[in-house]
Amino acid sequence: MSEEQIHNLRNEALSLIMGTTTQEELENLRINYLGRQGKINQATAELKNLPAEKKSVVGKIINDAKVAIENALFAQKEKLSTKDGQTTWFDPTIPSVQPQRGHLHLVTYAIEEISQIFNHLGFVRVRYPEVEWDWFAFESLNMPASHPARDEWETFFVDTKSHPKYGNMVLTPHTSSGQVREMERVKMPPIRMINIAKCYRRQSDVSHVPMFHQFEGLVVDKDISIVHLKGTLDYFARRFFGASRKIRLRPYHFQFTEPSFEVDVSCGVCNGSGCKLCKAGWLELGGAGMVHPNVLTNGGIDPSKFCGFAFGWGVERTFMMKAGIKIDDIRILYNADLRFLKQF
Amino acid sequence: MDIKVPDSWLREYLETPAKPSQIAQYLSLCGPSVERVNKVGKDFVYEIEVTTNRVDSAGIFGIAREAAAILPRFNLSAKLIPPKVLSRHSFASSVDYLKVKIDHSLCQRFTAVLIKDVQIKPSPEWMVDRLRKVGVKVINNVVDISNYLMYGLGQPTHTFDYDKIKNSIMILRPAKKGEKIITLDGKSHTLPGGDIIIVDGSGRLIDLAGIMGGQNSAVDNTTKNVLLFVQHYNPTQIRKTVMSLAYRTDAATLFEKDLDPEGVTPTIQTGIELLEKLTGGKAEDKILDLYPYPYQVKKINITLDFIQTRLGINITKNELSKILLSLGFENKWSGGKLEVDVPSWRSNDVNISEDILEEVARLYGYHNLPSQIMPGIIPEPPEVTPFAYELKVKQLLKGWGAVEVYTSSLVPQNFIGKDIALKLKNPLGKEGEYLRISLEPSLLTAAKQNSRATNPFHLIEIANVYLPAQAGLPRKGDLPEEKMMLAGITAGFPFTQTKGLVEVLLAELNMEADFIPANNGAIIKQGKTVLGQLKVIDDARIYYEFDMATLRNLSKPFSTFHPIPKYPGQIEDLSAIFPSRSLVGKVIKAISALDPQIADFQLIDTYENSKTFRVVYQNPDKTLTDNEVAKIRGKVIKTLANKFGARIK
């Protein structure tokens, strides 16, 4: 085979390859030219008939033609596959490039959800001092200085002079200290307050943190009854925990409410039939009661004309009961470990 | 306070077919909360929480009294069986076996009786069983009876070895400061003064009354004659002594809550009966009883309307009366008014109409009341509240990858340094002695805690700092200023990125900010007002903080509208070489303000002291000609040269 013939073979192959419209045609061409019995192999086989001085020259030309055909086949194959709509190879399982993801704290989510629910009932959100006078934290709430009931609040005292009228400076151990402050702000009922703030108690173990959050509801108006307290807390429980959840009241005692209640919510795990997580179908939420007339008087409101109810619960505790998040040591909430914070 | 009540002991005072599980459930719904019922052998032991106001039910008889009123509400019959009263003994204001002198302001009722010829020995099995179930150590028949009376009837008692009371004389008086006593448990106390004590004829302190007896007058194995002692003590004084000695006993916990002085009578009578039966002793016929002001029945008037309005339902007069009577409150209707007699055991917790309401409501059953949201006017919210704004800031920062932390407001001394901060009188430990005055140390600690994190991170917190009253602001002797701060710390971010975060935040809040160079960072101002600061802490960490109130007051709710330009601008790049240590922010600010037709002026490249800026020349009303652009460009170049010493390349 002459050099000229090999050139022709090469040109013929390239033009045929470029003219193909399907993969099948292309494959036939490949077999025809590069297959074992293909034209390139035939040309190579004929090399032995050439004189020695010609062999290497023609051999090189054959090889060049082979490479050119291979490249053309590859390029056409790519071209055809795109044309066929099968497009280029695409892997959707590849790891992505993400924007940095931020995280708000559990307590922020809880506070928002709680305040939204009470907002629907016309409750006004407020926040009162965390560093507070004894008067607002205890005395005005019907707890005189030596009262044994005070023992239940493990109170932090600030090392400073006491106020001539308001007594010692304390870290407020509950949001109830906002009750009289709200009465003083509003002056004339109606009052529907939701006070969410940091509170402090002198205790630290797996279920207590020295700094925590409470939400306090206070309603003062004419003719407010226990039925209204139940209605409000029922509404909260349904919205916060789920439509099938119920609350119940049991007798309890607080100096600043009369009557006073312990509020339970039906267990979401067993739906009230009793299980390992709950006490006979119920979980303790927290305290509530009808505002004691002395507290109204201390807030400048006439208890013969107005009455009301109040409740104050732990934000962290209530949220965990909802989410079913089991945290074996609550103190982790106030620890800045990213491995924890990034989970929410 | 939590008490243990064995079912077998309860049924000594209560006749009912109710099962322990029913008793537990119904008591919890209408009375004291039964936290747990434990099976002990064939018996059950209730663990009951008694609230501080209900010391009358802090004993097995008291629980029986509650159960007898509550169980019938659930259609279970229940009858209270009161302790037996013996007729042989009489109460007298003087006896020949004991001479006493009493300060009645400390002791409202004083009773004592002498039991002769007792035989000290172990208690019988039934008593041992009951005491063990309530968790009391068994000692001997005399001491055990004393405990049995306290846990059974809720009234503490004491037994003296009569022969150790010198001259059979007792003087009850307030202690002088510094007087000393060794109590039964061998502990020595130096009294703060005012404490209720008893001294005998030789002047020895023999009793720290209401708290624990003295060692020198205690019953021991050789005791022959016992003086049984049942009193009512001044609750405030008992509590004072308990608090200042930091020494508490079960008896003191009861006394400090103001016990029923009428409860003394059945207690001393039951005590005599048990002592005679279990020790073989013989009681004197006369019981010494000094009770100058016996209980006068307290009366409370309520109306049907009051109960119905507060309860929210129309309870009948008859049901109301019946409920009150079942709890021992005698009552009498006249028209719509009800006169209620408060029984002695409830006299310290029932004082006003609301207290009567509570009794009615709990027995009626809170679970039987309907639920309804109150009607009425919805109150006006305060005009300005910070909550929505705080959430917006948090959410913006979260969107840019920040992670929110809540760190403790209580911090160690080294977080305060030499500044003034409020200190706690009773901190839990060195880690939380002070109220923080800055979020910086807290966030730096939080960042360090995560130093192993492989990727750069950004922590934020919105929380109060507590700035104590000082000369100036706020007033001295006032509460500290609680200032809500936003703080953030980045770790592994270049300075430009952290600054960028701060800038886009302020832009989102529709604010403008200048970064004024300051030590290791910048003070951030809008006009003349300081908004916050940015601070490079080390190679990796950059801190920033803002006063939330200032941000909120200055940020506009909406951005200003600028019409979209109708005519295209002309864009060109200018490069200039600046002297070392030039502040590029100042250059940009100056040039941007140079001519209203400079629509934009941005730094696009920096190489050593050479800076390249992209300038957009634009006029809202026309397309600028080359000549006009050249004029503005001339002003730019002149300013760069004259004001900043820059040389155009």
Side-chain angles (χ1 to χ4, degrees):
Chain A
M1 202 178 259
S2 72
E3 291 167 44
E4 171 114 24
Q5 281 174 311
I6 294 165
H7 275 297
N8 288 343
L9 171 70
R10 170 188 159 138
N11 290 341
E12 177 197 66
L14 294 183
S15 91
L16 283 173
I17 289 168
M18 294 209 336
T20 53
T21 53
T22 67
Q23 297 278 5
E24 201 184 350
E25 283 174 56
L26 196 64
E27 178 62 9
N28 287 337
L29 286 177
R30 188 190 67 78
I31 294 165
N32 204 0
Y33 286 93
L34 301 182
R36 205 188 301 172
Q37 307 294 324
K39 291 181 179 174
I40 291 291
N41 273 354
Q42 284 172 22
T44 311
E46 285 171 29
L47 270 181
K48 63 178 188 288
N49 305 328
L50 291 178
E53 70 273 16
K54 273 257 177 184
K55 258 186 198 167
S56 68
V57 178
V58 176
K60 190 177 177 298
I61 294 170
I62 292 172
N63 200 49
D64 287 350
K66 188 182 171 190
V67 171
I69 291 166
E70 275 173 351
N71 287 342
L73 280 169
F74 182 79
Q76 184 69 1
K77 192 169 178 154
E78 285 290 302
K79 202 170 152 194
L80 283 179
S81 64
T82 313
K83 232 186 197 166
D84 291 352
Q86 288 162 4
T87 70
T88 44
W89 171 232
F90 168 66
D91 180 2
T93 67
I94 191 170
S96 61
V97 179
Q98 296 178 355
Q100 193 160 351
R101 192 183 155 203
H103 303 268
L104 293 186
H105 197 272
L106 271 187
V107 168
T108 297
Y109 289 121
I111 288 175
E112 277 321 304
E113 198 174 344
I114 292 163
S115 43
Q116 285 304 320
I117 293 172
F118 285 105
N119 188 27
H120 291 302
L121 298 181
F123 281 65
V124 172
R125 183 170 167 200
V126 294
R127 183 163 59 207
Y128 286 113
E130 294 168 34
V131 183
E132 186 54 287
W133 297 118
D134 181 279
W135 164 258
F136 293 101
F138 292 112
E139 190 101 25
S140 70
L141 297 175
N142 207 26
M143 273 186 273
S146 65
H147 204 282
R150 284 193 177 202
D151 294 356
E152 286 160 34
W153 284 263
E154 302 267 356
T155 310
F156 282 115
F157 292 92
V158 177
D159 191 4
T160 187
K161 274 188 203 157
S162 62
H163 191 280
K165 197 167 137 200
Y166 295 142
N168 288 327
M169 196 186 281
V170 302
L171 300 192
T172 189
H174 52 190
T175 40
S176 305
S177 46
Q179 290 190 15
V180 164
R181 288 213 176 257
E182 178 73 353
M183 292 175 199
E184 288 177 352
R185 182 186 72 83
V186 175
K187 293 186 183 77
M188 185 51 96
I191 292 173
R192 293 187 190 190
M193 169 196 89
I194 190 85
N195 172 26
I196 311 183
K198 284 193 173 118
C199 301
Y200 302 85
R201 288 191 197 177
R202 215 178 161 277
Q203 48 191 4
S204 177
D205 56 45
V206 293
S207 51
H208 296 96
V209 223
M211 179 185 87
F212 61 101
H213 295 78
Q214 278 194 342
F215 62 108
E216 180 95 3
L218 173 71
V219 170
V220 180
D221 205 343
K222 285 189 169 129
D223 297 337
I224 295 294
S225 72
I226 302 173
V227 167
H228 299 140
L229 166 77
K230 275 190 85 173
T232 304
L233 298 185
D234 251 334
Y235 177 84
F236 172 75
R238 287 196 311 272
R239 295 291 305 270
F240 189 78
F241 294 108
S244 64
R245 308 289 285 275
K246 289 186 185 62
I247 60 121
R248 78 170 181 189
L249 307 181
R250 284 181 295 112
Y252 202 67
H253 173 71
F254 300 104
Q255 279 294 116
F256 40 106
T257 49
E258 190 69 52
S260 303
F261 321 106
E262 189 77 69
V263 184
D264 296 341
V265 63
S266 58
C267 176
V269 174
C270 64
N271 284 322
S273 58
C275 68
K276 269 187 182 173
L277 279 177
C278 62
K279 264 186 5 189
W282 299 90
L283 298 160
E284 275 180 31
L285 262 181
M290 306 304 290
V291 182
H292 195 287
N294 291 355
V295 178
L296 290 170
T297 306
N298 289 332
I301 289 173
D302 183 351
S304 69
K305 291 195 179 113
F306 297 101
C307 55
F309 65 77
F311 54 89
W313 302 343
V315 169
E316 294 84 349
R317 184 185 153 74
T318 307
F319 191 70
M320 292 206 194
M321 282 169 64
K322 170 200 171 106
I325 300 171
K326 286 201 86 178
I327 292 181
D328 40 20
D329 187 342
I330 194 173
R331 288 172 292 193
I332 195 173
L333 282 176
Y334 297 104
N335 180 319
D337 194 328
L338 280 169
R339 292 167 301 176
F340 171 74
L341 297 169
K342 284 188 165 179
Q343 293 179 34
F344 304 101
Chain B
M1 98 202 245
D2 297 323
I3 62 167
K4 286 183 179 155
V5 176
D7 186 62
S8 56
W9 196 346
L10 180 70
R11 287 174 198 271
E12 184 173 322
Y13 305 118
L14 181 71
E15 202 179 295
T16 179
K19 288 183 286 208
S21 62
Q22 289 174 313
I23 292 176
Q25 189 190 344
Y26 301 144
L27 273 182
S28 293
L29 279 176
C30 297
S33 178
V34 180
E35 301 294 309
R36 216 164 285 115
V37 188
N38 298 319
K39 197 161 193 295
V40 179
K42 283 182 184 165
D43 203 356
F44 293 88
V45 177
Y46 307 94
E47 285 180 22
I48 299 181
E49 184 187 359
V50 175
T51 54
T52 51
N53 61 325
R54 291 300 306 275
V55 68
D56 64 289
S57 42
I60 290 154
F61 178 72
I63 295 296
R65 192 158 51 195
E66 280 286 309
I70 290 166
L71 293 173
R73 303 289 309 170
F74 296 90
N75 297 321
L76 287 162
S77 67
K79 201 180 140 212
L80 184 69
I81 308 162
K84 273 174 243 139
V85 176
L86 307 174
S87 55
R88 182 164 64 85
H89 308 275
S90 63
F91 290 87
S93 59
S94 72
V95 291
D96 52 13
Y97 54 84
L98 191 67
K99 293 283 164 271
V100 297
K101 201 178 148 204
I102 286 156
D103 180 340
H104 275 297
S105 71
L106 299 178
C107 178
Q108 194 182 331
R109 186 173 186 185
F110 182 108
T111 68
V113 65
L114 172 63
I115 292 110
K116 281 187 184 151
D117 301 323
V118 300
Q119 207 191 332
I120 305 290
K121 56 184 179 184
S123 297
E125 198 43 52
W126 62 267
M127 182 176 279
V128 169
D129 176 62
R130 286 181 176 185
L131 287 177
R132 284 200 176 133
K133 280 174 184 160
V134 299
V136 183
K137 218 174 113 191
V138 175
I139 296 171
N140 61 43
N141 51 359
V142 172
V143 176
D144 293 348
I145 287 168
S146 178
N147 281 327
Y148 187 83
L149 291 170
M150 173 163 77
Y151 291 99
L153 299 177
Q155 165 72 50
T157 65
H158 184 55
T159 48
F160 290 94
D161 183 329
Y162 176 73
D163 302 308
K164 293 178 184 169
I165 305 168
K166 293 279 154 56
N167 309 329
S168 307
I169 289 175
M170 277 185 164
I171 298 162
L172 185 148
R173 63 159 170 89
K176 295 181 201 111
K177 186 170 187 246
E179 280 188 288
K180 288 192 170 75
I181 183 166
I182 297 170
T183 43
L184 283 174
D185 54 3
K187 286 193 179 123
S188 170
H189 309 273
T190 304
L191 301 179
D195 322 274
I196 311 171
I197 52 157
I198 293 170
V199 294
D200 69 4
S202 69
R204 294 184 313 159
L205 264 70
I206 57 168
D207 189 20
L208 181 55
I211 301 172
M212 197 178 269
Q215 203 177 43
N216 53 12
S217 58
V219 170
D220 59 37
N221 289 336
T222 63
T223 298
K224 288 277 169 278
N225 304 306
V226 164
L227 188 73
L228 174 64
F229 212 59
V230 188
Q231 332 292 93
H232 177 283
Y233 292 117
N234 180 319
T236 316
Q237 186 51 55
I238 296 286
R239 183 169 163 77
K240 245 187 207 163
T241 303
V242 163
M243 298 305 273
S244 48
L245 291 179
Y247 180 66
R248 184 172 276 287
T249 59
D250 285 353
T253 298
L254 292 170
F255 277 126
E256 73 171 5
K257 294 187 180 74
D258 199 2
L259 292 164
D260 174 17
E262 295 291 316
V264 166
T265 310
T267 308
I268 200 158
Q269 288 182 323
T270 310
I272 290 169
E273 189 201 0
L274 286 169
L275 281 165
E276 288 191 331
K277 206 161 95 188
L278 304 184
T279 69
K282 175 96 176 56
E284 294 283 338
D285 288 343
K286 279 186 178 175
I287 302 167
L288 176 63
D289 183 13
L290 300 167
Y291 188 24
Y293 307 104
Y295 178 65
Q296 300 289 315
V297 175
K298 187 195 287 183
K299 292 185 185 296
I300 294 174
N301 291 302
I302 56 164
T303 64
L304 183 62
D305 181 58
F306 171 82
I307 298 288
Q308 289 184 339
T309 318
R310 295 296 172 90
L311 211 52
I313 52 153
N314 289 329
I315 190 170
T316 63
K317 278 171 144 184
N318 185 33
E319 188 165 16
L320 186 58
S321 280
K322 239 174 71 186
I323 286 175
L324 287 172
L325 195 59
S326 73
L327 289 165
F329 294 74
E330 303 274 346
N331 58 84
K332 202 168 70 204
W333 281 104
S334 56
K337 285 190 179 129
L338 185 68
E339 189 184 83
V340 183
D341 291 356
V342 180
S344 63
W345 63 90
R346 299 300 305 278
S347 70
N348 62 24
D349 90 289
V350 177
N351 297 301
I352 55 175
S353 318
E354 280 78 2
D355 296 323
I356 301 290
L357 169 71
E358 173 161 45
E359 296 307 301
V360 176
R362 71 184 176 97
L363 266 281
Y364 182 85
Y366 296 128
H367 54 286
N368 289 324
L369 292 176
S371 283
Q372 190 189 312
I373 289 170
M374 55 278 168
I377 298 164
I378 288 184
E380 275 298 303
E383 214 169 302
V384 185
T385 58
F387 309 109
Y389 192 82
E390 285 168 10
L391 183 64
K392 181 180 176 179
V393 169
K394 283 183 184 183
Q395 281 172 336
L396 284 169
L397 289 166
K398 169 187 186 274
W400 297 314
V403 178
E404 188 190 14
V405 296
Y406 275 64
T407 57
S408 180
S409 318
L410 304 176
V411 297
Q413 208 276 331
N414 63 317
F415 280 24
I416 304 296
K418 285 183 180 140
D419 292 317
I420 298 168
L422 289 177
K423 195 178 176 193
L424 297 180
K425 258 184 205 159
N426 56 340
L428 259 178
K430 291 270 176 207
E431 283 310 293
E433 262 187 308
Y434 288 87
L435 281 155
R436 65 180 163 189
I437 52 172
S438 163
L439 300 184
E440 186 183 333
S442 304
L443 282 192
L444 183 58
T445 306
K448 283 182 180 163
Q449 191 192 337
N450 290 294
S451 56
R452 283 187 177 183
T454 45
N455 296 321
F457 60 85
H458 175 197
L459 305 179
I460 56 159
E461 178 163 18
I462 293 184
N464 275 330
V465 295
Y466 310 84
L467 309 177
Q470 289 176 47
L473 280 170
R475 273 192 344 275
K476 209 168 182 171
D478 214 337
L479 292 174
E481 182 190 0
E482 294 184 13
K483 199 173 188 179
M484 193 58 78
M485 301 296 290
L486 160 67
I489 193 164
T490 59
F493 285 33
F495 176 77
T496 46
Q497 198 181 340
T498 307
K499 186 183 173 190
L501 278 166
V502 166
E503 276 181 331
V504 286
L505 173 67
L506 294 171
E508 277 288 332
L509 301 173
N510 299 311
M511 307 192 73
E512 284 157 18
D514 283 339
F515 289 76
I516 316 294
N519 277 349
N520 301 323
I523 301 288
I524 304 162
K525 282 183 166 180
Q526 175 171 283
K528 285 184 177 161
T529 314
V530 174
L531 303 177
Q533 60 153 325
L534 187 62
K535 185 173 167 188
V536 178
I537 292 177
D538 54 34
D539 287 347
R541 301 180 188 106
I542 301 162
Y543 173 79
Y544 64 86
E545 68 175 20
F546 291 97
D547 172 358
M548 285 299 286
T550 309
L551 285 192
R552 191 159 45 84
N553 291 338
L554 292 181
S555 66
K556 288 174 279 185
F558 304 103
S559 52
T560 323
F561 168 70
H562 298 289
I564 295 161
K566 287 189 191 120
Y567 303 94
Q570 294 197 30
I571 302 170
E572 67 177 11
D573 293 350
L574 277 178
S575 294
I577 297 166
F578 287 83
S580 300
R581 297 176 167 259
S582 293
L583 295 169
V584 73
K586 282 194 166 177
V587 175
I588 294 169
K589 204 179 161 199
I591 302 298
S592 302
L594 196 60
D595 190 304
Q597 296 174 108
I598 298 173
D600 199 16
F601 185 78
Q602 280 193 31
L603 180 69
I604 56 168
D605 197 18
T606 295
Y607 178 73
E608 291 174 349
N609 285 335
S610 164
K611 315 269 180 202
T612 302
F613 300 95
R614 182 152 295 165
V615 202
V616 179
Y617 305 100
Q618 195 167 33
N619 187 307
D621 304 319
K622 60 178 184 182
T623 305
L624 291 171
T625 64
D626 287 352
N627 257 345
E628 286 166 328
V629 168
K631 237 168 135 183
I632 310 166
R633 182 190 304 119
K635 268 164 84 179
V636 171
I637 291 169
K638 204 172 144 196
T639 309
L640 288 176
N642 295 351
K643 202 167 171 189
F644 298 102
R647 188 164 47 81
I648 298 298
K649 285 212 280 192

